[in-house]
Amino acid sequence: MLSVKEAEVIILNLVQSLNNQHDTEIIDLLEASGRILAKPVTSKLDFPHWDNSAMDGYAVRYTDVQECSTEQPAILEIIEEIPAGYQPQLTVQPGQAARIYTGAVMPNGADTVVMQEVTHRQENQVFIKAVPKLEEFVRRQASYYQAGSELLPAGIKINAPEIAILAASQCNQLSVFRKVKVAILSTGNELVTPEQTLKPGQIVDSNQYALFALVQELGAEPLTLGIVPDEPEALKQVIRNASAKADIIISGGGVSVGEYDYVEQILESLGGKIHVRAVAMKPGKPLTVATLNNGQSCLYFGLPGNPASALVTFWRFVQPAIKKLSGLNNGWQPIFMKAKARQELRSDGKRESYVWGKIRPINGIYEFEIAGGNQASGNLINLAQTNALAVLPVGINLIAPDEETQVLIIRS
Ligand code: AMP
Ligand code: MG
């Protein structure tokens, strides 16, 4: 059986990022939040666009004020008022200054701004009472960014700061990677939808809903295929169809060694190559990972049906795979942190164990609090409000309270 690390390496090596030529679309800036930039962006504009003032004050020539003091202020003639948005008309000559406001264009001739707090005004004269630094409070054109150079690289996620940058550079439309398409299906004769009346022995297909939400949270596009009964032909049909339109197929259930578990046979009969059959982890031992090619390459994840196992294996393996596929150039790897265990954490030590709970800062130190109640793979109730999984390596049976533990962050 593969270790978790071995399985992770195999899986992430199978994932090829979306193609930056073919797998892209053009979208409007207001739709760009959360999308991944497919092409680098350059701007024709310098930032700042022109020399401008960082203060309310007076635009002066440094040589006119370099020897002034409170006792012997420099006295300059005010030739113009320059508010923001106004194009200065005059050149500041020796002995002159212009009244200027934050963000306003620097007039020709002036090289320094004196803030108004160290000045005194009398009609059209200003008294400068303290020596500024040369070029003080002047934001030089192109000092933040030079037109034509790379403004934003490809492969980054677009969030509010990037949207501001794109807006400022008048980039109203941009090329992003298309969304990764993730088909989701559940297998099991016992499963019904939340709307159906439960008969004895039946349970609701909660995994389909959880996986839908997880896929959406990652910025991918979920394609729900519903519940497929434990019938090889039906399942084969659904998987074949899905593999023609999805980048990833996630199925829940039917991957253990039970009599009704057909998934691996079906994948092989569809020409699929199986890369992972089981992983030494708890929960989540029965995990199938395969590649299918039905006109396009498709990665198949057969997750165990137990709700906690399905989510843990999703967080550990599927989440980074979707992120890597999405075009992100970095930051798709799983995020591990060290935290102090609040309570004792136990494992049988035989498989790498994942314990669900909550990580949070307490007095500046991250602590991991185990979710109360039963840590059983069939229990979905105490998964509520969890944001992390403590990881107990093989051979470790106990992490005592206050001891440090490795934690996988599942939601940031
Ligand atoms: P399986 O992996 O098919 O052997 O299923 C393992 C356990 O998970 C069984 O108790 C199933 O009833 C349960 N299960 C399977 N699929 C789902 C699902 N989609 N939602 C919730 N529980 C499920
Ligand atoms: Mg089943």
Side-chain angles (χ1 to χ4, degrees):
M1 201 175 350
L2 295 171
S3 70
V4 174
K5 191 69 211 169
E6 285 165 340
E8 178 189 31
V9 169
I10 291 172
I11 292 165
L12 293 177
N13 280 338
L14 290 172
V15 178
Q16 298 281 335
S17 166
L18 290 179
N19 184 286
N20 65 3
Q21 299 298 320
H22 311 121
D23 295 319
T24 63
E25 57 192 11
I26 305 286
I27 58 163
D28 288 340
L29 184 55
L30 279 177
E31 295 164 359
S33 181
R35 303 300 298 269
I36 318 281
L37 202 55
K39 308 234 158 65
V41 174
T42 56
S43 176
K44 291 189 197 121
L45 296 168
D46 285 329
F47 285 84
H49 310 323
W50 9 260
D51 294 350
N52 71 96
S53 174
M55 280 284 170
D56 292 339
Y58 293 87
V60 301
R61 301 166 67 98
Y62 178 72
T63 48
D64 283 351
V65 297
Q66 63 182 336
E67 277 162 12
C68 72
S69 64
T70 318
E71 296 75 36
Q72 287 208 307
I75 306 168
L76 304 173
E77 178 203 357
I78 300 166
I79 56 162
E80 195 173 20
E81 285 267 323
I82 312 173
Y86 171 82
Q87 178 65 45
Q89 304 295 308
L90 303 173
T91 296
V92 176
Q93 306 285 355
Q96 295 184 331
R99 177 72 169 125
I100 197 163
Y101 297 90
T102 304
V105 178
M106 284 292 285
N108 285 335
D111 54 19
T112 300
V113 171
V114 180
M115 62 172 168
Q116 65 190 31
E117 287 83 344
V118 296
T119 66
H120 168 74
R121 182 170 181 165
Q122 240 172 39
E123 291 165 2
N124 73 334
Q125 285 189 320
V126 60
F127 293 66
I128 311 287
K129 296 185 288 186
V131 183
K133 293 192 197 104
L134 176 64
E135 300 203 359
E136 196 167 20
F137 303 127
V138 178
R139 301 164 175 161
R140 281 278 169 227
Q141 177 170 352
S143 59
Y144 305 161
Y145 167 81
Q146 256 187 338
S149 57
E150 188 174 272
L151 184 62
L152 294 173
I156 59 164
K157 189 166 186 174
I158 300 166
N159 291 315
E162 291 75 28
I163 295 205
I165 293 162
L166 291 162
S169 58
Q170 300 189 305
C171 180
N172 301 324
Q173 293 206 309
L174 53 148
S175 173
V176 295
F177 286 101
R178 68 168 173 80
K179 290 187 176 186
V180 172
K181 293 188 205 111
V182 184
I184 304 162
L185 63 112
S186 295
T187 66
N189 290 339
E190 75 281 28
L191 301 176
V192 296
T193 66
E195 303 83 44
Q196 284 172 289
T197 309
L198 281 176
K199 296 199 191 107
Q202 292 183 326
I203 59 163
V204 172
D205 170 18
S206 54
N207 287 350
Q208 181 112 207
Y209 285 77
L211 293 169
F212 182 93
L214 288 166
V215 166
Q216 237 179 7
E217 275 172 27
L218 292 172
E221 183 184 336
L223 313 167
T224 46
L225 304 179
I227 299 164
V228 184
D230 287 316
E231 285 163 23
E233 267 317 306
L235 199 49
K236 190 170 172 177
Q237 191 74 25
V238 172
I239 293 174
R240 186 194 284 121
N241 290 344
S243 66
K245 57 184 179 196
D247 301 296
I248 292 181
I249 302 175
I250 306 174
S251 74
V255 287
S256 57
V257 289
E259 214 175 313
Y260 297 97
D261 298 339
Y262 304 106
V263 172
E264 285 194 7
Q265 291 164 35
I266 288 166
L267 291 168
E268 279 169 339
S269 76
L270 287 170
K273 185 159 187 288
I274 305 217
H275 302 270
V276 174
R277 291 173 195 275
V279 181
M281 72 188 285
K282 193 179 173 196
K285 184 169 103 185
L287 173 77
T288 305
V289 182
T291 41
L292 286 163
N293 201 316
N294 183 5
Q296 63 163 59
S297 66
C298 178
L299 189 57
Y300 185 96
F301 287 95
L303 306 186
N306 272 313
S309 313
L311 292 195
V312 168
T313 47
F314 181 94
W315 285 318
R316 186 65 187 85
F317 300 115
V318 188
Q319 183 154 293
I322 293 177
K323 286 189 186 174
K324 186 177 180 192
L325 186 59
S326 70
L328 269 183
N329 56 8
N330 52 47
W332 45 264
Q333 295 87 347
I335 299 167
F336 290 97
M337 278 182 62
K338 293 246 191 283
K340 202 165 80 170
R342 243 176 122 75
Q343 302 87 359
E344 66 176 34
L345 307 174
R346 289 196 170 275
S347 156
D348 63 10
K350 292 186 191 129
R351 290 181 268 154
E352 189 166 301
S353 291
Y354 288 73
V355 175
W356 47 97
K358 209 172 205 171
I359 188 170
R360 61 179 162 206
I362 295 182
N363 298 329
I365 292 172
Y366 278 103
E367 291 199 354
F368 177 81
E369 184 171 3
I370 189 170
N374 202 331
Q375 290 265 333
S377 58
N379 180 17
L380 57 75
I381 304 302
N382 70 346
L383 283 162
Q385 297 296 296
T386 51
N387 65 359
L389 302 169
V391 187
L392 280 73
V394 176
I396 299 289
N397 295 86
L398 172 73
I399 290 179
D402 289 342
E403 239 185 276
E404 207 171 61
T405 180
Q406 183 90 330
V407 169
L408 172 66
I409 306 299
I410 55 182
R411 196 170 306 117
S412 40

